[in-house]
Amino acid sequence: MSDTQLTDFLAACGQRIEAALEAWLPPEQTPPAKLHRAMRYAILGGGKRIRPTLAYATAAAIGLAPEQVNGIACAVEMIHAYSLIHDDLPAMDDDDLRHGRPTCHKAFDEATAILAGDALMTQAFLVLAR
């Protein structure tokens, strides 16, 4: 794979996972809205997306269409986001910034961040189950 092909593949995977995550996450306005805003804040619009890209690369290597692993890719990314939210909490690393913007507990509050992380992990299992 050439550098250009790799760059294109990474970009395509990034766009695919953003769209798939958007589809699997509850809309911001759906009650409890603050929790859903925090979930979306923590996972959408950034990050390297290495884990879902590996899921798509594995699919390509074994001849599966990317659509066949969207759920797996989303679940992996949701669990990763959950771990980052909890790692950033005051009782853990107490980080204020992630990817140049306030961490979830700074943007919302500590209780909402904990619930957002837990909800993303639970959502990951829902996605896998469906």
Side-chain angles (χ1 to χ4, degrees):
M1 181 178 278
S2 72
D3 287 349
T4 302
Q5 289 172 315
L6 179 59
T7 300
D8 291 347
F9 181 74
L10 293 172
C13 289
Q15 291 171 352
R16 175 176 295 285
I17 193 64
E18 283 293 316
L21 286 167
E22 179 71 43
W24 277 107
L25 290 168
E28 282 188 10
Q29 307 82 0
T30 302
K34 183 177 181 182
L35 173 62
H36 293 153
R37 280 194 310 275
M39 290 169 67
R40 297 171 73 82
Y41 176 86
I43 199 168
L44 292 176
K48 295 178 285 287
R49 305 293 192 218
I50 296 299
R51 288 149 196 86
T53 299
L54 290 172
Y56 291 125
T58 301
I62 61 173
L64 295 176
E67 305 82 44
Q68 292 179 275
V69 295
N70 276 344
I72 293 166
C74 283
V76 168
E77 193 67 1
M78 288 176 184
I79 291 171
H80 177 61
Y82 141 77
S83 74
L84 296 177
I85 292 170
H86 282 228
D87 184 59
D88 290 339
L89 290 168
M92 299 298 279
D93 284 348
D94 197 16
D95 288 320
D96 293 337
L97 297 174
R98 179 158 298 280
H99 300 297
R101 61 184 200 155
T103 55
C104 197
H105 74 276
K106 292 293 184 178
F108 294 88
D109 55 66
E110 189 174 351
T112 301
I114 292 168
L115 291 173
D118 292 350
L120 283 168
M121 183 173 58
T122 304
Q123 187 74 12
F125 290 112
L126 174 71
V127 170
L128 289 174
R130 291 197 176 154

